[in-house]
Amino acid sequence: MQTLARTLYLDCFSGLSGDMALGALLDLLSRVRDVPAEGVAAELRAALSALMLPPWTLEVGERLKLGVRGLKVTIRARGAEEAPAPEAGRGAGRGRGVRFAPAEGFFGPRAPQAARYAHEGAGHAHGYPYAQLRALLRGAPLAAGVRRRALDTFEALAAAEGRVHGCAPEEVHFHEVGMVDSVLDVVGVAWCLEALGVSAVQSAPPPVGRGWVRCAHGVMPLPAPATAHLLEGLAVTPTALTRELVTPTGAALLRGLSAEVTELLPGAPLRLRAVGWGAGGMDLSDRPNLLRALLFEPPAPPAPAPAPPPAPPADRPPRSCWLLETNIDDSTPERLAFTCERLLSAGALDVWQSPITMKKGRAAVTLSALCALPALEDLERVLLSETSALGVRRALVERTTLPRAQVWVSTPLGAGRVKVTTRPGGRPSAAPEYEDAARLAREAGVPFEEAAEALRAAWAAGAAGAAEAAGAAEAAEAAGAVEAAGAAGAAEAAGAAEGDAGAGGGGEG
């Protein structure tokens, strides 16, 4: 199945934080699916419940910011809610809300390196050590794309915190973002991107405030030290606001999602699929504290002319394809799964893994990809750059394919696609598209097989109706032909009778 290359643009005119990004993407996803935001949030809660975290809650609700609505995400860990960082001199506080320090036995004993962050008189608790947070994400039952984006985000954050504290990333103990709410924000954003099918992320130049802010280590200049390192090399928009507009989580998301920071410039036409709004916690005097997320797709191609009926599969010549293979015995499942994603994005017709045993008895896999000639070099480049392979085998193969098409059908659970194939002899067969059956099952709260059967039944009913209509049209055509023949015969008989009458009259004269 071919999917549209979707691009997400983060219009962060008021700043960027984890909760604003999550709110904007949940709002966007609810509009794409045309379901209430609470329904999408319930699906997200189910996915996040697989993380081994202390007790938490996630609530969504609409907020107005200077008259503009947005979706606000509120996360509470052990009943405490994250709060925006206060300005220096505007009341006591210790920066961004929850500072949950896991007890021994939950993540294991605290690492001895934590002592290097103990500041005299600071009295604050550090959150997750980066190494344990990384292990938590690697071991969680998440989709490969979700895990990769979350790990990349926290890796960027650990590198920035390491620069601030003068230590290696492995020794970092997060104090600003390594708490329950930020883990849920980051993983939640990655989950939404996967659900939306986003392949690229862009962002407006983020605005940065000035002045000072109270955080875990005391009064710090804005942008906060870790935020400043994360924004290095990116275009930013300085403002006169004395507030923290971009948080470390927000800046880390830009890095972890490989976001291209750019203004919306004239270029190829795009289709604006949907818009989502995420609300921040604080109120600003000169602008609504909202993040706008815009989802772009390539414009829909013009509807093609109806194609003639396909020839029987046996009459179609095989298509030539290239088969690429390489044996790998030292890669992780995550790396192999990511490589498969890259191969499909680079134009592979199919990708698969086969278990094998190498010459020294080691378990390994053969990674195979099928492609047309134009994609051959791109796929070889992916295999040699994303894996430890030292070479790639190639062979020209022939294949025969059956005619196939995607058909949209309506069911009591919602609309979805069915893949229809014409078998030898003209017999059709149909199979529900997995993504649509899974989506309908989640949205309706029914078993997967029930949603798949609903799609099959809807297609079968449509096919039967089409056949009945075709039969009725054929019968009507035959009836019209009989009626026309009868009329012609009657006219011919009338002409003959008129001729006989004329001949009789002449004899009498």
Side-chain angles (χ1 to χ4, degrees):
M1 181 186 67
Q2 185 178 6
T3 57
L4 293 175
R6 286 176 166 174
T7 298
L8 177 73
Y9 188 84
L10 298 175
D11 189 10
C12 50
F13 52 86
S14 291
L16 182 61
S17 63
D19 61 328
M20 293 173 71
L22 185 55
L25 293 184
L26 285 174
D27 191 42
L28 186 62
L29 188 56
S30 72
R31 295 181 181 279
V32 169
R33 293 183 176 178
D34 194 20
V35 297
E38 178 56 37
V40 179
E43 189 177 345
L44 173 62
R45 291 188 199 102
L48 295 177
S49 64
L51 297 172
M52 296 296 293
L53 292 173
W56 54 269
T57 61
L58 185 150
E59 300 171 358
V60 296
E62 292 191 352
R63 299 287 189 275
L64 283 179
K65 298 291 183 178
L66 295 185
V68 183
R69 68 156 292 280
L71 193 67
K72 179 70 175 72
V73 174
T74 302
I75 294 175
R76 292 181 174 87
R78 298 185 182 273
E81 178 184 352
E82 179 186 27
E87 301 175 53
R90 289 202 177 185
R94 290 175 39 194
R96 280 170 295 279
V98 181
R99 287 194 177 35
F100 175 74
E104 292 190 8
F106 189 80
F107 284 105
R110 298 288 297 274
Q113 291 89 342
R116 71 183 299 165
Y117 301 111
H119 296 269
E120 184 176 357
H124 60 270
H126 289 278
Y128 304 147
Y130 169 56
Q132 293 182 358
L133 178 58
R134 183 176 58 192
L136 168 72
L137 295 174
R138 285 179 174 175
L142 301 170
V146 176
R147 181 184 296 106
R148 172 176 53 83
R149 282 172 165 143
L151 285 171
D152 289 348
T153 299
F154 279 107
E155 180 182 0
L157 188 59
E161 290 282 359
R163 289 184 61 185
V164 172
H165 294 293
C167 68
E170 296 294 330
E171 300 178 10
V172 166
H173 280 61
F174 292 128
H175 48 81
E176 294 292 341
V177 295
M179 64 281 282
V180 174
D181 53 277
S182 290
V183 174
L184 296 177
D185 283 341
V186 170
V187 179
V189 166
W191 180 88
C192 289
L193 293 175
E194 191 81 1
L196 287 166
V198 171
S199 57
V201 178
Q202 295 180 337
S203 170
V208 291
R210 54 185 299 181
W212 305 86
V213 65
R214 292 186 184 276
C215 62
H217 293 285
V219 177
M220 293 288 175
L222 289 175
T227 304
H229 286 308
L230 287 163
L231 295 178
E232 275 188 8
L234 303 181
V236 298
T237 302
T239 72
L241 292 175
T242 56
R243 301 302 296 265
E244 183 179 39
L245 303 179
V246 179
T247 67
T249 307
L253 284 170
L254 292 181
R255 289 296 186 185
L257 303 180
S258 302
E260 178 188 4
V261 177
T262 178
E263 296 284 3
L264 280 176
L265 301 175
L270 293 172
R271 174 173 176 254
L272 181 56
R273 176 66 177 81
V275 180
W277 297 82
M282 60 185 177
D283 294 318
L284 303 176
S285 59
D286 67 334
R287 67 192 76 187
N289 188 24
L290 296 168
L291 171 66
R292 180 165 59 177
L294 300 96
L295 185 65
F296 290 102
E297 294 176 348
D315 297 337
R316 299 175 5 141
R319 291 183 55 188
S320 297
C321 297
W322 284 95
L323 175 64
L324 304 181
E325 291 186 336
T326 185
N327 296 342
I328 303 172
D329 66 353
D330 59 352
S331 285
T332 63
E334 293 88 353
R335 186 176 180 184
L336 289 173
F338 179 72
T339 303
C340 291
E341 291 180 10
R342 291 289 306 275
L343 289 169
L344 290 170
S345 299
L349 301 173
D350 199 0
V351 178
W352 64 95
Q353 302 177 41
S354 307
I356 60 172
T357 302
M358 300 288 281
K359 58 187 176 182
K360 294 185 179 180
R362 288 193 295 263
V365 298
T366 296
L367 184 56
S368 306
L370 201 63
C371 70
L373 179 60
L376 178 62
E377 292 185 1
D378 290 338
L379 264 64
E380 285 187 339
R381 188 177 302 111
V382 171
L383 285 170
L384 294 175
S385 61
E386 294 291 348
T387 72
S388 58
L390 301 179
V392 177
R393 300 184 297 276
R394 66 166 74 171
L396 187 61
V397 297
E398 302 285 323
R399 69 169 188 164
T400 300
T401 60
L402 293 175
R404 69 195 73 178
Q406 283 186 347
V407 178
W408 279 92
V409 298
S410 295
T411 77
L413 305 178
R417 291 164 297 177
V418 175
K419 183 159 53 184
V420 181
T421 302
T422 303
R423 299 289 176 185
R427 177 177 59 87
S429 64
E433 286 289 354
Y434 166 78
E435 289 85 355
D436 288 4
R439 172 176 54 81
L440 292 178
R442 284 191 293 264
E443 292 175 355
V446 300
F448 173 84
E449 186 54 34
E450 183 176 336
E453 182 57 33
L455 291 171
R456 281 192 291 264
W459 174 83
E468 183 178 350
E474 185 176 347
E477 183 179 353
V482 170
E483 183 179 351
E492 185 178 351
E498 184 178 351
D500 290 345
E508 290 176 354

